[in-house]
Amino acid sequence: MAIKLNLFVAFLIISIFYFTEVYSLLEFTNLQCESLDKDFALIDYCFLKSVNRSYKYVSIKVNLLQLPITKVKVHFGLYQRLNGYKPFLYNITFDACRFLQSPKSNPVALYFYNFYKEYSNMNHPCPYDHDIVLDKMPYHSINNMVTKILPFPEGNYMFEVLWIAYDIPRAQTKFYASLS
Ligand SMILES: *[C@@H]1O[C@H](CO)[C@@H](O)[C@H](O)[C@H]1NC(C)=O
Ligand SMILES: *[C@@H]1O[C@H](CO)[C@@H](O)[C@H](O)[C@H]1NC(C)=O
């Protein structure tokens, strides 16, 4: 795990230095949210919305039923569609509570967090004693976050996020996107 994370960090740093000129277009095609433990988390809403050609956003609200929550990990997996979705490059698990306690200690995570934090109330140190909301996070910020630093080949992708509390997966979010 530690070795994987170091490789991931090294890869990101190399990407940031050498591929910042890559501009690609990431289009989200679908979003799915699912509760994996209905005694713990319920999906209130979860959708993509196109207001017009230049303004599209993602909104998610999850009701948490066993508050407060003091241990949160997030698992990120990227899949590329070939014959079905196959794991592609990223498969990492990340301790959100530890990170939120001192964001500056992890510069790579901080880079991503800076795009996200103004749209979500999951932006303070643990514990969490409220529902989790991602409110109208615009595509362009996700697009910048992903494509300017991560040079993916064109294709269809699925980005899976597993929300883990007390080491048990409680909810799952899947973003489907095409990169051209
Ligand atoms: C798209 O919608 C947003 C929000 O309503 C608005 O601020 C923006 O001017 C619109 N853009 C175009 C090109 O219509
Ligand atoms: C991701 O990594 C974990 C642990 O290293 C492993 O159990 C899991 O099968 C991997 N998932 C994918 C899709 O590669």
Side-chain angles (χ1 to χ4, degrees), residues 26 75-92 152-162 172-179:
L26 188 70
H75 175 265
F76 300 99
L78 182 67
Y79 297 76
Q80 186 181 31
R81 195 171 81 194
L82 299 167
N83 297 314
Y85 283 91
K86 300 289 186 323
F88 181 75
L89 283 180
Y90 305 108
N91 175 9
I92 52 171
F152 297 164
E154 292 182 3
N156 293 305
Y157 294 90
M158 187 266 283
F159 184 64
E160 176 190 66
V161 185
L162 271 183
Q172 169 176 270
T173 314
K174 290 179 174 178
F175 295 87
Y176 293 87
S178 69
L179 189 70

Side-chain angles (χ1 to χ4, degrees), residues 91-149:
N91 175 9
I92 52 171
T93 302
F94 173 78
D95 188 322
C97 290
R98 192 179 300 168
F99 170 72
L100 290 163
Q101 210 163 33
S102 53
K104 291 201 174 102
S105 65
N106 185 337
V108 175
L110 182 60
Y111 176 86
F112 290 101
Y113 178 64
N114 281 334
F115 283 99
Y116 147 97
K117 66 180 180 195
E118 66 188 279
Y119 303 106
S120 176
N121 65 354
M122 202 176 154
N123 60 357
H124 61 80
C126 301
Y128 283 93
D129 61 357
H130 51 72
D131 294 341
I132 299 297
V133 177
L134 181 68
D135 186 37
K136 297 185 180 168
M137 181 160 178
Y139 278 19
H140 67 79
S141 73
I142 304 175
N143 196 36
N144 287 347
M145 180 158 80
V146 177
T147 57
K148 282 201 182 149
I149 63 155

Side-chain angles (χ1 to χ4, degrees), residues 1-86:
M1 180 63 217
I3 290 172
K4 267 195 186 159
L5 197 59
N6 285 339
L7 285 175
F8 176 69
V9 170
F11 177 78
L12 272 188
I13 289 170
I14 291 167
S15 304
I16 289 165
F17 281 123
Y18 292 101
F19 297 99
T20 46
E21 294 309 310
V22 173
Y23 290 90
S24 309
L25 184 66
L26 188 70
E27 275 292 335
F28 288 89
T29 52
N30 198 5
L31 171 64
Q32 293 174 344
C33 301
E34 190 188 347
S35 169
L36 303 175
D37 177 352
K38 293 195 166 62
D39 294 325
F40 197 91
L42 293 175
I43 311 300
D44 190 337
Y45 53 78
C46 167
F47 60 87
L48 306 173
K49 185 163 169 82
S50 288
V51 176
N52 54 39
R53 265 191 82 78
S54 53
Y55 182 45
K56 302 172 186 195
Y57 63 76
V58 174
S59 284
I60 298 173
K61 182 172 182 188
V62 180
N63 301 132
L64 296 175
L65 308 177
Q66 295 180 29
L67 299 172
I69 297 176
T70 56
K71 274 188 76 177
V72 181
K73 289 181 185 166
V74 186
H75 175 265
F76 300 99
L78 182 67
Y79 297 76
Q80 186 181 31
R81 195 171 81 194
L82 299 167
N83 297 314
Y85 283 91
K86 300 289 186 323

